[in-house]
PDB file of all heavy atoms in Angstrom:
ATOM      1  N   VAL A   1     -17.765  13.631  -0.790  1.00  0.00           N
ATOM      2  CA  VAL A   1     -17.961  13.635  -2.235  1.00  0.00           C
ATOM      3  C   VAL A   1     -17.049  12.588  -2.869  1.00  0.00           C
ATOM      4  O   VAL A   1     -15.844  12.554  -2.583  1.00  0.00           O
ATOM      5  CB  VAL A   1     -17.649  15.041  -2.816  1.00  0.00           C
ATOM      6  CG1 VAL A   1     -17.724  15.032  -4.326  1.00  0.00           C
ATOM      7  CG2 VAL A   1     -18.583  16.077  -2.209  1.00  0.00           C
ATOM      8  N   LEU A   2     -17.641  11.757  -3.730  1.00  0.00           N
ATOM      9  CA  LEU A   2     -16.860  10.772  -4.469  1.00  0.00           C
ATOM     10  C   LEU A   2     -16.024  11.501  -5.517  1.00  0.00           C
ATOM     11  O   LEU A   2     -16.545  12.292  -6.301  1.00  0.00           O
ATOM     12  CB  LEU A   2     -17.778   9.756  -5.154  1.00  0.00           C
ATOM     13  CG  LEU A   2     -17.082   8.743  -6.064  1.00  0.00           C
ATOM     14  CD1 LEU A   2     -16.166   7.819  -5.261  1.00  0.00           C
ATOM     15  CD2 LEU A   2     -18.120   7.947  -6.842  1.00  0.00           C
ATOM     16  N   VAL A   3     -14.725  11.233  -5.536  1.00  0.00           N
ATOM     17  CA  VAL A   3     -13.811  11.839  -6.505  1.00  0.00           C
ATOM     18  C   VAL A   3     -13.129  10.713  -7.265  1.00  0.00           C
ATOM     19  O   VAL A   3     -12.467   9.862  -6.671  1.00  0.00           O
ATOM     20  CB  VAL A   3     -12.755  12.736  -5.810  1.00  0.00           C
ATOM     21  CG1 VAL A   3     -11.766  13.283  -6.823  1.00  0.00           C
ATOM     22  CG2 VAL A   3     -13.420  13.846  -5.027  1.00  0.00           C
ATOM     23  N   GLU A   4     -13.315  10.730  -8.574  1.00  0.00           N
ATOM     24  CA  GLU A   4     -12.678   9.748  -9.446  1.00  0.00           C
ATOM     25  C   GLU A   4     -11.330  10.298  -9.901  1.00  0.00           C
ATOM     26  O   GLU A   4     -11.175  11.517 -10.049  1.00  0.00           O
ATOM     27  CB  GLU A   4     -13.559   9.481 -10.673  1.00  0.00           C
ATOM     28  CG  GLU A   4     -14.927   8.913 -10.352  1.00  0.00           C
ATOM     29  CD  GLU A   4     -14.899   7.465  -9.930  1.00  0.00           C
ATOM     30  OE1 GLU A   4     -13.867   6.779 -10.151  1.00  0.00           O
ATOM     31  OE2 GLU A   4     -15.916   7.006  -9.386  1.00  0.00           O
ATOM     32  N   PRO A   5     -10.353   9.442 -10.132  1.00  0.00           N
ATOM     33  CA  PRO A   5      -9.058   9.932 -10.619  1.00  0.00           C
ATOM     34  C   PRO A   5      -9.211  10.547 -12.012  1.00  0.00           C
ATOM     35  O   PRO A   5     -10.028  10.096 -12.812  1.00  0.00           O
ATOM     36  CB  PRO A   5      -8.184   8.682 -10.661  1.00  0.00           C
ATOM     37  CG  PRO A   5      -9.117   7.534 -10.600  1.00  0.00           C
ATOM     38  CD  PRO A   5     -10.393   7.994  -9.980  1.00  0.00           C
ATOM     39  N   LYS A   6      -8.455  11.589 -12.259  1.00  0.00           N
ATOM     40  CA  LYS A   6      -8.471  12.272 -13.554  1.00  0.00           C
ATOM     41  C   LYS A   6      -7.042  12.407 -14.050  1.00  0.00           C
ATOM     42  O   LYS A   6      -6.085  12.166 -13.323  1.00  0.00           O
ATOM     43  CB  LYS A   6      -9.092  13.671 -13.418  1.00  0.00           C
ATOM     44  CG  LYS A   6     -10.512  13.688 -12.930  1.00  0.00           C
ATOM     45  CD  LYS A   6     -11.495  13.422 -14.055  1.00  0.00           C
ATOM     46  CE  LYS A   6     -12.927  13.446 -13.596  1.00  0.00           C
ATOM     47  NZ  LYS A   6     -13.599  14.693 -13.759  1.00  0.00           N
ATOM     48  N   ARG A   7      -6.901  12.834 -15.278  1.00  0.00           N
ATOM     49  CA  ARG A   7      -5.569  13.016 -15.886  1.00  0.00           C
ATOM     50  C   ARG A   7      -4.780  14.085 -15.150  1.00  0.00           C
ATOM     51  O   ARG A   7      -3.576  13.963 -14.955  1.00  0.00           O
ATOM     52  CB  ARG A   7      -5.762  13.402 -17.361  1.00  0.00           C
ATOM     53  CG  ARG A   7      -4.480  13.666 -18.108  1.00  0.00           C
ATOM     54  CD  ARG A   7      -3.788  12.384 -18.482  1.00  0.00           C
ATOM     55  NE  ARG A   7      -2.667  12.666 -19.353  1.00  0.00           N
ATOM     56  CZ  ARG A   7      -1.407  12.714 -18.924  1.00  0.00           C
ATOM     57  NH1 ARG A   7      -1.107  12.488 -17.676  1.00  0.00           N
ATOM     58  NH2 ARG A   7      -0.442  12.982 -19.764  1.00  0.00           N
ATOM     59  N   VAL A   8      -5.458  15.168 -14.717  1.00  0.00           N
ATOM     60  CA  VAL A   8      -4.821  16.256 -13.987  1.00  0.00           C
ATOM     61  C   VAL A   8      -5.572  16.453 -12.680  1.00  0.00           C
ATOM     62  O   VAL A   8      -6.789  16.598 -12.680  1.00  0.00           O
ATOM     63  CB  VAL A   8      -4.835  17.573 -14.797  1.00  0.00           C
ATOM     64  CG1 VAL A   8      -4.221  18.712 -13.993  1.00  0.00           C
ATOM     65  CG2 VAL A   8      -4.125  17.409 -16.131  1.00  0.00           C
ATOM     66  N   VAL A   9      -4.853  16.448 -11.576  1.00  0.00           N
ATOM     67  CA  VAL A   9      -5.437  16.763 -10.271  1.00  0.00           C
ATOM     68  C   VAL A   9      -4.750  18.029  -9.775  1.00  0.00           C
ATOM     69  O   VAL A   9      -3.527  18.073  -9.642  1.00  0.00           O
ATOM     70  CB  VAL A   9      -5.252  15.613  -9.254  1.00  0.00           C
ATOM     71  CG1 VAL A   9      -5.750  16.031  -7.869  1.00  0.00           C
ATOM     72  CG2 VAL A   9      -5.971  14.356  -9.726  1.00  0.00           C
ATOM     73  N   ILE A  10      -5.573  19.052  -9.542  1.00  0.00           N
ATOM     74  CA  ILE A  10      -5.057  20.315  -9.017  1.00  0.00           C
ATOM     75  C   ILE A  10      -5.301  20.347  -7.523  1.00  0.00           C
ATOM     76  O   ILE A  10      -6.431  20.145  -7.071  1.00  0.00           O
ATOM     77  CB  ILE A  10      -5.748  21.521  -9.689  1.00  0.00           C
ATOM     78  CG1 ILE A  10      -5.514  21.511 -11.196  1.00  0.00           C
ATOM     79  CG2 ILE A  10      -5.253  22.830  -9.063  1.00  0.00           C
ATOM     80  CD1 ILE A  10      -6.325  22.552 -11.943  1.00  0.00           C
ATOM     81  N   VAL A  11      -4.249  20.589  -6.772  1.00  0.00           N
ATOM     82  CA  VAL A  11      -4.357  20.784  -5.326  1.00  0.00           C
ATOM     83  C   VAL A  11      -4.150  22.265  -5.090  1.00  0.00           C
ATOM     84  O   VAL A  11      -3.127  22.820  -5.492  1.00  0.00           O
ATOM     85  CB  VAL A  11      -3.278  19.981  -4.560  1.00  0.00           C
ATOM     86  CG1 VAL A  11      -3.462  20.137  -3.071  1.00  0.00           C
ATOM     87  CG2 VAL A  11      -3.309  18.517  -4.968  1.00  0.00           C
ATOM     88  N   GLU A  12      -5.150  22.924  -4.479  1.00  0.00           N
ATOM     89  CA  GLU A  12      -5.023  24.365  -4.289  1.00  0.00           C
ATOM     90  C   GLU A  12      -5.243  24.723  -2.832  1.00  0.00           C
ATOM     91  O   GLU A  12      -6.003  24.079  -2.125  1.00  0.00           O
ATOM     92  CB  GLU A  12      -5.979  25.138  -5.201  1.00  0.00           C
ATOM     93  CG  GLU A  12      -7.437  25.074  -4.846  1.00  0.00           C
ATOM     94  CD  GLU A  12      -7.862  26.081  -3.795  1.00  0.00           C
ATOM     95  OE1 GLU A  12      -7.196  27.112  -3.607  1.00  0.00           O
ATOM     96  OE2 GLU A  12      -8.861  25.822  -3.133  1.00  0.00           O
ATOM     97  N   GLY A  13      -4.514  25.767  -2.387  1.00  0.00           N
ATOM     98  CA  GLY A  13      -4.677  26.246  -1.025  1.00  0.00           C
ATOM     99  C   GLY A  13      -3.535  27.140  -0.600  1.00  0.00           C
ATOM    100  O   GLY A  13      -2.480  27.165  -1.233  1.00  0.00           O
ATOM    101  N   ILE A  14      -3.760  27.837   0.509  1.00  0.00           N
ATOM    102  CA  ILE A  14      -2.757  28.795   0.970  1.00  0.00           C
ATOM    103  C   ILE A  14      -1.521  28.115   1.548  1.00  0.00           C
ATOM    104  O   ILE A  14      -0.443  28.694   1.528  1.00  0.00           O
ATOM    105  CB  ILE A  14      -3.343  29.810   1.978  1.00  0.00           C
ATOM    106  CG1 ILE A  14      -3.821  29.122   3.253  1.00  0.00           C
ATOM    107  CG2 ILE A  14      -4.453  30.631   1.345  1.00  0.00           C
ATOM    108  CD1 ILE A  14      -4.223  30.076   4.371  1.00  0.00           C
ATOM    109  N   LEU A  15      -1.663  26.879   2.062  1.00  0.00           N
ATOM    110  CA  LEU A  15      -0.545  26.228   2.742  1.00  0.00           C
ATOM    111  C   LEU A  15      -0.133  24.897   2.126  1.00  0.00           C
ATOM    112  O   LEU A  15       0.546  24.104   2.767  1.00  0.00           O
ATOM    113  CB  LEU A  15      -0.899  26.015   4.227  1.00  0.00           C
ATOM    114  CG  LEU A  15      -1.037  27.283   5.049  1.00  0.00           C
ATOM    115  CD1 LEU A  15      -1.537  26.960   6.454  1.00  0.00           C
ATOM    116  CD2 LEU A  15       0.291  28.025   5.123  1.00  0.00           C
ATOM    117  N   ILE A  16      -0.490  24.662   0.880  1.00  0.00           N
ATOM    118  CA  ILE A  16      -0.186  23.349   0.292  1.00  0.00           C
ATOM    119  C   ILE A  16       1.303  23.105   0.089  1.00  0.00           C
ATOM    120  O   ILE A  16       1.729  21.962   0.008  1.00  0.00           O
ATOM    121  CB  ILE A  16      -0.948  23.112  -1.024  1.00  0.00           C
ATOM    122  CG1 ILE A  16      -0.564  24.158  -2.056  1.00  0.00           C
ATOM    123  CG2 ILE A  16      -2.443  23.051  -0.787  1.00  0.00           C
ATOM    124  CD1 ILE A  16      -0.939  23.792  -3.467  1.00  0.00           C
ATOM    125  N   LEU A  17       2.090  24.166   0.015  1.00  0.00           N
ATOM    126  CA  LEU A  17       3.535  23.977  -0.169  1.00  0.00           C
ATOM    127  C   LEU A  17       4.265  23.838   1.165  1.00  0.00           C
ATOM    128  O   LEU A  17       5.456  23.546   1.185  1.00  0.00           O
ATOM    129  CB  LEU A  17       4.122  25.134  -0.982  1.00  0.00           C
ATOM    130  CG  LEU A  17       3.571  25.271  -2.399  1.00  0.00           C
ATOM    131  CD1 LEU A  17       4.165  26.499  -3.084  1.00  0.00           C
ATOM    132  CD2 LEU A  17       3.807  24.016  -3.208  1.00  0.00           C
ATOM    133  N   GLU A  18       3.553  23.989   2.265  1.00  0.00           N
ATOM    134  CA  GLU A  18       4.156  23.903   3.600  1.00  0.00           C
ATOM    135  C   GLU A  18       4.492  22.463   3.978  1.00  0.00           C
ATOM    136  O   GLU A  18       5.484  22.195   4.632  1.00  0.00           O
ATOM    137  CB  GLU A  18       3.190  24.519   4.642  1.00  0.00           C
ATOM    138  CG  GLU A  18       3.696  24.524   6.061  1.00  0.00           C
ATOM    139  CD  GLU A  18       3.433  23.238   6.813  1.00  0.00           C
ATOM    140  OE1 GLU A  18       2.491  22.500   6.483  1.00  0.00           O
ATOM    141  OE2 GLU A  18       4.204  22.956   7.752  1.00  0.00           O
ATOM    142  N   ASP A  19       3.678  21.514   3.536  1.00  0.00           N
ATOM    143  CA  ASP A  19       3.835  20.117   3.924  1.00  0.00           C
ATOM    144  C   ASP A  19       4.729  19.374   2.922  1.00  0.00           C
ATOM    145  O   ASP A  19       4.399  19.297   1.737  1.00  0.00           O
ATOM    146  CB  ASP A  19       2.454  19.446   4.005  1.00  0.00           C
ATOM    147  CG  ASP A  19       2.541  18.040   4.536  1.00  0.00           C
ATOM    148  OD1 ASP A  19       2.546  17.883   5.769  1.00  0.00           O
ATOM    149  OD2 ASP A  19       2.622  17.101   3.709  1.00  0.00           O
ATOM    150  N   LYS A  20       5.831  18.823   3.414  1.00  0.00           N
ATOM    151  CA  LYS A  20       6.804  18.161   2.540  1.00  0.00           C
ATOM    152  C   LYS A  20       6.203  16.970   1.792  1.00  0.00           C
ATOM    153  O   LYS A  20       6.422  16.815   0.587  1.00  0.00           O
ATOM    154  CB  LYS A  20       8.019  17.711   3.350  1.00  0.00           C
ATOM    155  CG  LYS A  20       9.093  17.079   2.493  1.00  0.00           C
ATOM    156  CD  LYS A  20      10.306  16.658   3.289  1.00  0.00           C
ATOM    157  CE  LYS A  20      11.338  16.100   2.315  1.00  0.00           C
ATOM    158  NZ  LYS A  20      12.317  15.270   2.969  1.00  0.00           N
ATOM    159  N   ALA A  21       5.438  16.139   2.476  1.00  0.00           N
ATOM    160  CA  ALA A  21       4.856  14.956   1.826  1.00  0.00           C
ATOM    161  C   ALA A  21       3.899  15.361   0.708  1.00  0.00           C
ATOM    162  O   ALA A  21       3.895  14.748  -0.366  1.00  0.00           O
ATOM    163  CB  ALA A  21       4.133  14.093   2.859  1.00  0.00           C
ATOM    164  N   LEU A  22       3.116  16.400   0.930  1.00  0.00           N
ATOM    165  CA  LEU A  22       2.192  16.884  -0.098  1.00  0.00           C
ATOM    166  C   LEU A  22       2.965  17.496  -1.265  1.00  0.00           C
ATOM    167  O   LEU A  22       2.681  17.222  -2.435  1.00  0.00           O
ATOM    168  CB  LEU A  22       1.221  17.897   0.512  1.00  0.00           C
ATOM    169  CG  LEU A  22       0.118  18.436  -0.388  1.00  0.00           C
ATOM    170  CD1 LEU A  22      -0.715  17.305  -0.984  1.00  0.00           C
ATOM    171  CD2 LEU A  22      -0.761  19.408   0.392  1.00  0.00           C
ATOM    172  N   ARG A  23       3.959  18.308  -0.941  1.00  0.00           N
ATOM    173  CA  ARG A  23       4.802  18.952  -1.956  1.00  0.00           C
ATOM    174  C   ARG A  23       5.451  17.913  -2.869  1.00  0.00           C
ATOM    175  O   ARG A  23       5.525  18.081  -4.084  1.00  0.00           O
ATOM    176  CB  ARG A  23       5.887  19.768  -1.238  1.00  0.00           C
ATOM    177  CG  ARG A  23       6.194  21.081  -1.818  1.00  0.00           C
ATOM    178  CD  ARG A  23       7.168  21.920  -1.021  1.00  0.00           C
ATOM    179  NE  ARG A  23       8.173  21.259  -0.226  1.00  0.00           N
ATOM    180  CZ  ARG A  23       8.198  21.261   1.114  1.00  0.00           C
ATOM    181  NH1 ARG A  23       7.287  21.893   1.807  1.00  0.00           N
ATOM    182  NH2 ARG A  23       9.169  20.644   1.761  1.00  0.00           N
ATOM    183  N   GLU A  24       5.928  16.820  -2.272  1.00  0.00           N
ATOM    184  CA  GLU A  24       6.627  15.792  -3.049  1.00  0.00           C
ATOM    185  C   GLU A  24       5.707  15.040  -4.012  1.00  0.00           C
ATOM    186  O   GLU A  24       6.183  14.435  -4.964  1.00  0.00           O
ATOM    187  CB  GLU A  24       7.333  14.815  -2.113  1.00  0.00           C
ATOM    188  CG  GLU A  24       8.544  15.456  -1.448  1.00  0.00           C
ATOM    189  CD  GLU A  24       9.246  14.542  -0.459  1.00  0.00           C
ATOM    190  OE1 GLU A  24       8.658  13.508  -0.040  1.00  0.00           O
ATOM    191  OE2 GLU A  24      10.389  14.873  -0.081  1.00  0.00           O
ATOM    192  N   LEU A  25       4.403  15.088  -3.791  1.00  0.00           N
ATOM    193  CA  LEU A  25       3.458  14.452  -4.706  1.00  0.00           C
ATOM    194  C   LEU A  25       3.199  15.296  -5.949  1.00  0.00           C
ATOM    195  O   LEU A  25       2.696  14.796  -6.954  1.00  0.00           O
ATOM    196  CB  LEU A  25       2.125  14.190  -3.994  1.00  0.00           C
ATOM    197  CG  LEU A  25       2.119  13.086  -2.959  1.00  0.00           C
ATOM    198  CD1 LEU A  25       0.812  13.104  -2.171  1.00  0.00           C
ATOM    199  CD2 LEU A  25       2.335  11.729  -3.616  1.00  0.00           C
ATOM    200  N   MET A  26       3.552  16.575  -5.890  1.00  0.00           N
ATOM    201  CA  MET A  26       3.250  17.510  -6.980  1.00  0.00           C
ATOM    202  C   MET A  26       4.283  17.438  -8.092  1.00  0.00           C
ATOM    203  O   MET A  26       5.477  17.476  -7.842  1.00  0.00           O
ATOM    204  CB  MET A  26       3.189  18.938  -6.440  1.00  0.00           C
ATOM    205  CG  MET A  26       2.107  19.158  -5.426  1.00  0.00           C
ATOM    206  SD  MET A  26       2.236  20.805  -4.708  1.00  0.00           S
ATOM    207  CE  MET A  26       1.195  20.616  -3.275  1.00  0.00           C
ATOM    208  N   ASP A  27       3.777  17.360  -9.317  1.00  0.00           N
ATOM    209  CA  ASP A  27       4.641  17.390 -10.491  1.00  0.00           C
ATOM    210  C   ASP A  27       4.942  18.823 -10.906  1.00  0.00           C
ATOM    211  O   ASP A  27       6.008  19.110 -11.443  1.00  0.00           O
ATOM    212  CB  ASP A  27       3.971  16.643 -11.654  1.00  0.00           C
ATOM    213  CG  ASP A  27       3.702  15.197 -11.298  1.00  0.00           C
ATOM    214  OD1 ASP A  27       4.678  14.439 -11.122  1.00  0.00           O
ATOM    215  OD2 ASP A  27       2.520  14.821 -11.170  1.00  0.00           O
ATOM    216  N   ILE A  28       3.982  19.714 -10.676  1.00  0.00           N
ATOM    217  CA  ILE A  28       4.125  21.133 -11.012  1.00  0.00           C
ATOM    218  C   ILE A  28       3.650  21.942  -9.808  1.00  0.00           C
ATOM    219  O   ILE A  28       2.612  21.627  -9.223  1.00  0.00           O
ATOM    220  CB  ILE A  28       3.272  21.497 -12.249  1.00  0.00           C
ATOM    221  CG1 ILE A  28       3.714  20.678 -13.469  1.00  0.00           C
ATOM    222  CG2 ILE A  28       3.339  22.996 -12.546  1.00  0.00           C
ATOM    223  CD1 ILE A  28       2.760  20.769 -14.652  1.00  0.00           C
ATOM    224  N   LYS A  29       4.410  22.977  -9.463  1.00  0.00           N
ATOM    225  CA  LYS A  29       4.043  23.855  -8.348  1.00  0.00           C
ATOM    226  C   LYS A  29       3.953  25.290  -8.862  1.00  0.00           C
ATOM    227  O   LYS A  29       4.871  25.781  -9.487  1.00  0.00           O
ATOM    228  CB  LYS A  29       5.077  23.769  -7.229  1.00  0.00           C
ATOM    229  CG  LYS A  29       5.229  22.379  -6.639  1.00  0.00           C
ATOM    230  CD  LYS A  29       6.477  22.307  -5.771  1.00  0.00           C
ATOM    231  CE  LYS A  29       6.867  20.894  -5.473  1.00  0.00           C
ATOM    232  NZ  LYS A  29       7.577  20.223  -6.552  1.00  0.00           N
ATOM    233  N   ILE A  30       2.813  25.928  -8.566  1.00  0.00           N
ATOM    234  CA  ILE A  30       2.579  27.311  -8.975  1.00  0.00           C
ATOM    235  C   ILE A  30       2.300  28.128  -7.727  1.00  0.00           C
ATOM    236  O   ILE A  30       1.473  27.728  -6.899  1.00  0.00           O
ATOM    237  CB  ILE A  30       1.369  27.414  -9.936  1.00  0.00           C
ATOM    238  CG1 ILE A  30       1.607  26.567 -11.186  1.00  0.00           C
ATOM    239  CG2 ILE A  30       1.057  28.867 -10.275  1.00  0.00           C
ATOM    240  CD1 ILE A  30       0.365  26.380 -12.049  1.00  0.00           C
TER     241      ILE A  30
END
């Protein structure tokens, strides 16, 4: 699926906070 950049990108999942590189890209963590 083609995904265009948006003002807000939400990354969701059960293990998204496990990976340091992914975590460091996040401005807000819930």
